[in-house]
Amino acid sequence: DRQPTSMGKKMKSQLKVVSGALMLALAGHAMAATDWLTPTVAQKTNPGTITVGTATATPTAWAGGDGETLVQQLGTSSTATTHFADYTGGGLGINNSLDGEAYGAQPDHAIDNFGRQEMVLLTFDKAVNLTALTMGYVSGDADFTVMAFNVNGVTGAPTLGTGTNKTWNSLGVSGSGWTLIGDYQNSTTGTKTFANSYYSSYWLIGAYNPLVGIMAGFASDNTADYFKLSSVSGNVCTATSGNCGSKVPEPSSLALLGLGIMGVLRMRKARKV
């Protein structure tokens, strides 16, 4: 057997260094799964903050029609007509004041788009990549829309009902800070995935909402959508510095590392010929 030359030893050392750098880059964007669960009985009339793994989410309910100023839906008692609550189980629903929905009236106690569009804003204290939700209740159809705010880690928080976030229509305009993750079809209860690479502290989930824009290729219908949100799941950004703009390091960084590894491997191959 041939003994490794000093040049061969040097190339092996270089390969270890490059490989180690790649591992460190990937570690900087390590992910941890988390779930946002149905609130406890004590939280039903006004959910408040909910701790989910290493991230804490505050849910708020919003409703509005075409061109209308968005109105936050607050509920503090079981008799309130303006209500955001878990009624008779199945997850969180909305009884919005704009349509005069009565508390507990089926299917109005769900998140729906009959009359005005209703959506839930989830505000996390960390950047989160949501990839799935679970519907604990569905009535009829249950198409839904998902959006995220400042997906590239830009500082600032959305202020719904004012400025560039005043209406659902304005959320779909360039410069509002919102990204349409997608429109999805699901006519049954259970878990629905919406894979994406975006991280954000602010997510909007609601009944199918064409006012914020329509995802290319989405086959919409004229059936009203009703569902209750029982949970969401995904990954929490655990990077020690910077932000999680995607699930992996920046493409340019990976490209440079990849070229470095290829160069070392070619040098080794050339030495063996």
Side-chain angles (χ1 to χ4, degrees):
D1 294 340
R2 294 194 308 174
Q3 296 297 318
T5 64
S6 60
M7 178 63 72
K9 290 180 180 179
K10 183 177 181 180
M11 284 188 290
K12 284 184 178 180
S13 177
Q14 290 174 334
L15 181 60
K16 288 180 179 180
V17 171
V18 175
S19 299
L22 178 60
M23 291 178 67
L24 286 174
L26 292 172
H29 287 263
M31 298 174 290
T34 186
D35 286 311
W36 180 69
L37 305 176
T38 302
T40 64
V41 174
Q43 296 171 318
K44 284 183 178 180
T45 57
N46 198 350
T49 57
I50 301 171
T51 301
V52 288
T54 60
T56 300
T58 301
T60 52
W62 296 84
D66 191 357
E68 291 183 336
T69 299
L70 296 177
V71 178
Q72 183 176 353
Q73 305 302 303
L74 300 170
T76 57
S77 72
S78 61
T79 59
T81 56
T82 308
H83 203 73
F84 175 34
D86 175 10
Y87 180 79
T88 67
L92 291 172
I94 300 172
N95 285 113
N96 85 66
S97 59
L98 300 177
D99 289 325
E101 296 175 346
Y103 176 76
Q106 291 186 315
D108 288 339
H109 63 264
I111 301 168
D112 69 76
N113 55 13
F114 182 76
R116 271 84 168 181
Q117 275 74 19
E118 300 171 359
M119 301 190 79
V120 176
L121 173 64
L122 299 178
T123 301
F124 289 88
D125 61 353
K126 297 180 180 179
V128 176
N129 167 232
L130 295 186
T131 57
L133 63 80
T134 301
M135 297 179 179
Y137 166 90
V138 167
S139 177
D141 204 9
D143 299 341
F144 65 97
T145 295
V146 179
M147 302 187 79
F149 185 75
N150 280 349
V151 294
N152 293 321
V154 179
T155 58
T159 306
L160 297 185
T162 63
T164 55
N165 287 195
K166 184 176 181 179
T167 66
W168 291 134
N169 310 74
S170 63
L171 267 60
V173 177
S174 177
S176 70
W178 287 95
T179 296
L180 176 61
I181 303 301
D183 299 308
Y184 308 89
Q185 292 181 320
N186 182 35
S187 59
T188 60
T189 57
T191 300
K192 182 71 174 180
T193 60
F194 46 93
N196 66 91
S197 61
Y198 295 120
Y199 280 82
S200 173
S201 295
Y202 310 95
W203 292 79
L204 270 172
I205 297 175
Y208 170 59
N209 191 344
L211 300 180
V212 300
I214 303 174
M215 183 60 66
F218 179 74
S220 59
D221 56 54
N222 296 319
T223 306
D225 303 293
Y226 300 86
F227 72 91
K228 287 185 179 181
L229 183 65
S230 63
S231 70
V232 295
S233 59
N235 306 285
V236 177
C237 174
T238 58
T240 56
S241 61
N243 62 73
C244 289
S246 62
K247 291 184 180 179
V248 295
E250 294 298 324
S252 58
S253 300
L254 283 179
L256 289 174
L257 288 170
L259 288 173
I261 292 175
M262 289 177 63
V264 172
L265 290 176
R266 285 179 179 176
M267 289 174 62
R268 293 187 67 184
K269 185 176 181 180
R271 290 291 301 171
K272 290 181 179 180
V273 174

